[in-house]
Amino acid sequence: MSRIRTHIGDITRLEVDAIVNAANTSLLGGGGVDGAIHRAAGPDLVQECRLLNGCKTGEAKITAGYRLPAKHVIHTVGPVWHGGMEGEPGLLAGCYETSLRLAAANVCKTIAFPAISTGIYGYPAELAAETAVATIRNTLQDLPEIDTVTLVAFDDVAHAHLLKALKRNED
């Protein structure tokens, strides 16, 4: 049975150990998934995020989940797409790898990811799905303590990209 699953829906409603937030460098909230997570978690999330002093692109930091069903929120900052020639693939892969390693270090066995950088940051969704799946598969080889990674798609189009990437990256 695969440790990577997909789900179409609202990441803020998932009962997992950690959800990943596609954050901006301030970690203080924004639009898209970031704004939805901050709204659902409540004002205590932004208070804790203020103590973290931001986050660099490709890295991750963890907080409590507050009013979310998830116990933790892992905040990661994806790259802005500039055509793929400014290190975007490596930075995006870093988001997934550092988030998974941070989850494992904090005893999170179930993790859910949104499509990082595919919204306002403009990363092509199909390319992002390929990077996500390949990086997660590779990283999970080192992290047997993680049971399940759920890739969350907001709609059927995004879900199709994930399914295609999973099929292409089968073991």
Side-chain angles (χ1 to χ4, degrees):
M1 182 174 185
S2 178
R3 293 164 66 197
I4 304 173
R5 299 179 183 161
T6 63
H7 174 80
I8 301 172
D10 182 349
I11 196 169
T12 68
R13 296 178 186 259
L14 296 183
E15 292 185 25
V16 293
D17 293 329
I19 62 171
V20 177
N21 180 17
N24 60 48
T25 56
S26 76
L27 303 182
L28 300 180
V33 171
D34 191 14
I37 289 171
H38 273 269
R39 284 188 299 278
D44 291 332
L45 180 60
V46 78
Q47 294 302 327
E48 185 175 355
C49 284
R50 281 193 177 100
L51 303 175
L52 298 178
N53 298 313
C55 185
K56 294 179 181 175
T57 302
E59 296 181 4
K61 296 191 176 182
I62 192 167
T63 63
Y66 298 100
R67 296 190 316 210
L68 292 162
K71 296 173 191 151
H72 300 280
V73 178
I74 296 173
H75 308 266
T76 192
V77 181
V80 174
W81 181 255
H82 294 289
M85 304 308 281
E86 294 185 26
E88 296 97 306
L91 290 168
L92 185 61
C95 290
Y96 288 95
E97 182 175 350
T98 58
S99 294
L100 286 169
R101 293 192 186 285
L102 188 57
N106 285 274
V107 196
C108 297
K109 295 182 174 295
T110 55
I111 301 105
F113 282 92
I116 298 166
S117 283
T118 62
I120 191 127
Y121 285 10
Y123 209 110
E126 189 168 358
L127 294 177
E130 290 287 335
T131 297
V133 169
T135 304
I136 291 167
R137 279 198 197 280
N138 289 338
T139 306
L140 284 177
Q141 292 176 14
D142 296 341
L143 302 173
E145 62 272 34
I146 292 180
D147 292 336
T148 308
V149 174
T150 303
L151 298 172
V152 181
F154 190 73
D155 60 22
D156 290 331
V157 173
H159 190 242
H161 292 306
L162 293 173
L163 293 176
K164 189 174 181 182
L166 282 166
K167 183 141 184 73
R168 258 197 294 247
N169 286 284
E170 285 179 336
D171 293 331

